[in-house]
Amino acid sequence: MGTMLYTHKQSTDILDTTVLGVDVGGKYRFIVSNGKHFQGNDIYILSVELLKFCEDNNYIYLGIENPGLLSKRNRNTYKALTVIETVSRKYKTNTIRVDPMLTSRICHRCHSISKKTKRIFNVFVCEYCNLTVDSDYNASMNIRQRAIQTLRLQ
């Protein structure tokens, strides 16, 4: 029985250290859940840089918003996520699609939903716990948490 508990704890730790969430902030900017930003003029090159980073840092899973669930006005985001998925096939990183709903309005720390999105200069401010962070970073953390939940359910 002790071995089973140890194995379960180990798998939880592995997910916590091998899953990275990414939010596409604008046309040429990727923000990942460890705080790193990727910015440039070409989505393909940014995707390669992101996936090389994942491979170099032993991230096995990359949580992304499900492109099929995005509204049509998010054309650039859809294109970027599709390119990330395509490029990921060349690397040792698997993409995990998650529901994008409310990722920018849920506080990644206290998990409350902000009624108003207080996005002043791309800053997220939680109405409940007063967390103040980059709004794209907050979304990437929520995407990461959803990817981990998806993997645990499999």
Side-chain angles (χ1 to χ4, degrees), residues 81-108:
L81 293 169
T82 306
V83 171
I84 289 171
E85 280 190 311
T86 303
V87 173
S88 73
R89 294 182 191 122
K90 298 177 184 177
Y91 292 87
K92 296 176 184 173
T93 305
N94 302 302
T95 55
I96 307 296
R97 289 178 167 200
V98 301
D99 186 351
M101 182 175 269
L102 300 176
T103 54
S104 62
R105 289 186 45 210
I106 294 175
C107 175
H108 78 269

Side-chain angles (χ1 to χ4, degrees), residues 8 15 96 98 145-154:
H8 177 71
L15 282 182
I96 307 296
V98 301
Q145 290 168 358
R146 288 182 186 182
I148 290 172
Q149 288 173 345
T150 301
L151 289 166
R152 286 187 178 144
L153 293 174
Q154 291 179 351

Side-chain angles (χ1 to χ4, degrees), residues 35-88:
K36 188 163 176 60
H37 289 64
F38 295 88
Q39 202 160 338
N41 296 324
D42 185 292
I43 293 172
Y44 181 81
I45 291 171
L46 283 175
S47 298
V48 169
E49 288 176 12
L50 171 64
L51 288 153
K52 280 183 181 176
F53 174 80
C54 288
E55 195 171 72
D56 292 346
N57 292 282
N58 299 315
Y59 289 108
I60 300 169
Y61 302 102
L62 182 64
I64 64 169
E65 295 172 301
N66 186 338
L69 298 177
L70 295 172
S71 67
K72 293 186 180 188
R73 62 192 162 111
N74 291 332
R75 239 182 325 220
N76 292 329
T77 302
Y78 177 86
K79 182 178 179 184
L81 293 169
T82 306
V83 171
I84 289 171
E85 280 190 311
T86 303
V87 173
S88 73

